Amino acid sequence: MVLVETRDERGARARVVFSTRAPVDVLALDELCTAVGWPRRPPAKVAAALAHSYLVATLHLHTIPEESSSGDYPQPLRSSLVGLARATSDHAFNATIWDVLVSPDFQGMGLGKALVERLTRALLARDIANVSLFADASVVTFYKEMGFEVDPEGIKGMFYFPPPRSPF
Amino acid sequence: MVLVETRDERGARARVVFSTRAPVDVLALDELCTAVGWPRRPPAKVAAALAHSYLVATLHLHTIPEESSSGDYPQPLRSSLVGLARATSDHAFNATIWDVLVSPDFQGMGLGKALVERLTRALLARDIANVSLFADASVVTFYKEMGFEVDPEGIKGMFYFPPPRSPF
């Protein structure tokens, strides 16, 4: 699913492509997390988290030949990960969206919104009625604009943080 | 893990046993949901949700022979489901607890608290650092008493409800 036509960092013709089936390069995701200022995470744990997510939605930048028409969808010359969101689920009733991120080079183009909306739609299409997420204060408005509601009917998001281990 | 010694509905000696490995009878769970006033759900979807939960914690009432000592743990004469909680997870970073319920006949004994605490501990023991849940307004205090925090650092629980389908 082509979201926008753009140019890659070398000025070549490129497209940002949404998918829920594209393989994810864990090291590319690690670079993306670093680029947006997230703490680093062990690659083996990231790989496990991706493997055990119900859906992993990606944005890849596909560099394409200059001569291809806008309608066809050629094999890209290069492909790089520029965005990701994933959802855990019980495959039946609920899904929770985690790790929504878009490369700083591709922010401000509506791609984060497109990513979450399309992931949400993919979940609803699989008959998952309860789509939830935990939003940092700074992105609550972003999700509200997409139709997500804070604390509907007084339901509260809660977290358990284990007490720090004694050093003794 | 025996939580309490009690009597079953016929007055026979019984124990409430916690497990994260006991098989769950979907129809028994359906009866339990009905007993606590939850809406009915299609058994096939419930079975899928259980199969795709990372951990399913159960409370079973085991009726045991009168003569067994409190120390040993005989094969029960009968076993019935009296409580359940389950967690979805990415098997790496996060887990979210859903469907916490205890039979009305066994409420007020601290079993709900024991169920959630032991499930949370089992998740932490598997190196899941981020344990979350969505609490109805009426049970926020219950979870606070167990150490769960509402909206830590301003993180908000949000839900997407699809617009109702047009009947036309």
Side-chain angles (χ1 to χ4, degrees):
Chain A
M1 177 80 64
V2 176
L3 296 184
V4 291
E5 292 259 353
T6 180
R7 295 273 162 183
D8 73 7
E9 74 284 5
R10 302 181 204 183
R13 207 171 149 204
R15 293 168 171 171
V16 177
V17 177
F18 171 91
S19 175
T20 56
R21 293 178 189 186
V24 176
D25 180 321
V26 172
L27 297 182
L29 176 56
D30 188 49
E31 284 173 24
L32 195 56
C33 289
T34 302
V36 298
W38 289 10
R40 301 198 75 165
R41 301 184 293 185
K45 277 196 93 163
V46 173
L50 292 171
H52 293 101
S53 293
Y54 179 54
L55 278 181
V56 179
T58 53
L59 300 177
H60 280 90
L61 183 71
H62 287 188
T63 304
I64 56 174
E66 286 296 329
E67 65 275 14
S68 65
S69 75
S70 63
D72 63 3
Y73 180 33
Q75 198 63 17
L77 303 174
R78 280 198 312 268
S79 173
S80 59
L81 185 72
V82 296
L84 181 136
R86 64 189 177 91
T88 50
S89 175
D90 65 4
H91 301 208
F93 299 108
N94 65 60
T96 309
I97 296 174
W98 307 92
D99 289 359
V100 177
L101 75 171
V102 173
S103 163
D105 296 340
F106 293 86
Q107 290 180 9
M109 299 164 66
L111 290 173
K113 188 164 183 282
L115 182 61
V116 173
E117 280 183 346
R118 283 166 195 277
L119 173 56
T120 303
R121 246 184 277 161
L123 292 166
L124 297 172
R126 292 177 180 218
D127 204 23
I128 305 288
N130 178 339
V131 179
S132 57
L133 54 82
F134 296 98
D136 280 338
S138 61
V139 290
V140 165
T141 304
F142 169 76
Y143 289 112
K144 272 187 184 166
E145 286 168 2
M146 264 176 271
F148 282 84
E149 290 177 44
V150 172
D151 301 344
E153 299 178 19
I155 295 169
K156 286 290 188 183
M158 301 184 79
F159 286 86
Y160 184 82
F161 299 105
R165 282 185 196 150
S166 164
F168 303 108
Chain B
M1 175 83 63
V2 177
L3 297 185
V4 292
E5 293 258 352
T6 179
R7 295 272 162 185
D8 74 6
E9 75 283 6
R10 302 183 204 183
R13 209 172 146 201
R15 293 169 171 171
V16 176
V17 177
F18 171 91
S19 176
T20 55
R21 293 178 189 185
V24 176
D25 180 321
V26 172
L27 297 182
L29 177 55
D30 188 49
E31 283 173 26
L32 195 55
C33 289
T34 302
V36 298
W38 290 10
R40 300 198 76 165
R41 302 184 293 185
K45 278 196 92 164
V46 173
L50 293 170
H52 293 101
S53 293
Y54 179 55
L55 278 180
V56 179
T58 53
L59 300 177
H60 279 91
L61 182 71
H62 287 188
T63 303
I64 57 174
E66 287 295 330
E67 64 276 14
S68 64
S69 75
S70 61
D72 63 2
Y73 181 32
Q75 198 64 17
L77 302 175
R78 279 198 312 266
S79 173
S80 60
L81 185 72
V82 296
L84 182 136
R86 63 189 178 91
T88 51
S89 175
D90 64 3
H91 301 208
F93 299 109
N94 65 60
T96 309
I97 296 174
W98 306 92
D99 289 359
V100 177
L101 75 171
V102 173
S103 162
D105 296 341
F106 293 86
Q107 290 180 11
M109 299 164 67
L111 291 173
K113 188 162 183 283
L115 181 62
V116 173
E117 279 182 347
R118 282 166 196 275
L119 172 57
T120 302
R121 247 184 276 162
L123 293 166
L124 297 172
R126 292 178 179 216
D127 204 24
I128 305 289
N130 179 339
V131 178
S132 57
L133 54 82
F134 295 98
D136 279 339
S138 61
V139 289
V140 164
T141 303
F142 169 76
Y143 289 113
K144 271 188 183 165
E145 287 169 1
M146 264 176 271
F148 282 84
E149 290 177 45
V150 172
D151 301 344
E153 298 177 22
I155 295 170
K156 286 289 187 184
M158 300 185 80
F159 286 85
Y160 183 83
F161 299 104
R165 283 185 196 150
S166 164
F168 304 107

